[in-house]
Amino acid sequence: AQKITQTQPGMFVQEKEAVTLDCTYDTSDPSYGLFWYKQPSSGEMIFLIYQGSYDQQNATEGRYSLNFQKARKSANLVISASQLGDSAMYFCAMRDSNYQLIWGAGTKLIIKP
Amino acid sequence: ETGVTQTPRHLVMGMTNKKSLKCEQHLGHNAMYWYKQSAKKPLELMFVYSLEERVENNSVPSRFSPECPNSSHLFLHLHTLQPEDSALYLCASSQDGARGRAFFGQGTRLTVV
């Protein structure tokens, strides 16, 4: 069965430090896409970064990078130089062969000043 | 502004009321989704419409009734809801395909009293 696992319900990080949010996935499809979304307390889901299963290089978007380890089936999100505004829920998701998104339970990230 | 607009942002309704949630996208996407997000639970996919045809209905109670009159609009009709239906309801749209990321609305925070 297709599944996304985020093992960190919550994380506390000092401002300006880098933070890694874990995500592992399970699928037998050779073609899939992995996404990270940020959800602040306002509720809106904000797209952060995408990694395709056939992409050779790890995706990067500004301060966000995705540490994609295909053999381990992991797609960890790395946020460099964290900011107070990074405090939010972070969700990892996978798009399967039916093009539907499968979601992890999320990680609540709190950045401390 | 993500291109997906949900109204209302907040809704309080009694258990005997009938109300509707509205979602609108002008991104030219061909798939639209309703998600339910309860406290401390993963995102739950409720309904998927692809090309205005419902392709997924994840065992959602009949007191939730979706409607997709055209590719830009999606409704969720609510009647005789229960207090446990109180949650954040998120609408999303995407272009079908593995790389098609979902764009989310800001959500409707529903409270059933």
Side-chain angles (χ1 to χ4, degrees), chain A residues 5 10-11 19 23 28-30 33-34 38 42 46 52-53 61 70 73 75 81 85 92 96 105 107 113:
Chain A
T5 303
M11 280 199 71
V19 56
C23 173
S28 55
D29 288 339
L34 296 157
K38 171 185 178 181
S42 60
I46 302 168
S53 59
E61 291 281 349
K70 197 170 182 178
K73 293 189 174 178
C92 179
D96 66 6
T107 296

Side-chain angles (χ1 to χ4, degrees), chain A residues 36-97:
Chain A
W36 276 93
Y37 283 84
K38 171 185 178 181
Q39 187 182 38
S41 55
S42 60
E44 184 180 357
M45 289 287 235
I46 302 168
F47 167 77
L48 295 178
I49 198 166
Y50 169 83
Q51 179 85 42
S53 59
Y54 292 119
D55 292 345
Q56 296 294 317
Q57 303 214 344
N58 286 348
T60 59
E61 291 281 349
R63 292 188 299 114
Y64 304 108
S65 61
L66 202 150
N67 184 2
F68 182 46
Q69 298 189 38
K70 197 170 182 178
R72 292 186 175 184
K73 293 189 174 178
S74 76
N76 298 341
L77 176 71
V78 180
I79 307 174
S80 62
S82 59
Q83 302 170 356
L84 295 178
D86 294 333
S87 295
M89 284 291 292
Y90 288 80
F91 291 93
C92 179
M94 176 173 65
R95 185 173 288 272
D96 66 6
S97 54

Side-chain angles (χ1 to χ4, degrees), chain A residues 1-5 24-29 73 94 96 102:
Chain A
Q2 320 237 15
K3 191 179 175 183
I4 292 280
T5 303
T24 58
Y25 59 93
D26 194 10
T27 181
S28 55
D29 288 339
K73 293 189 174 178
M94 176 173 65
D96 66 6
I102 299 157

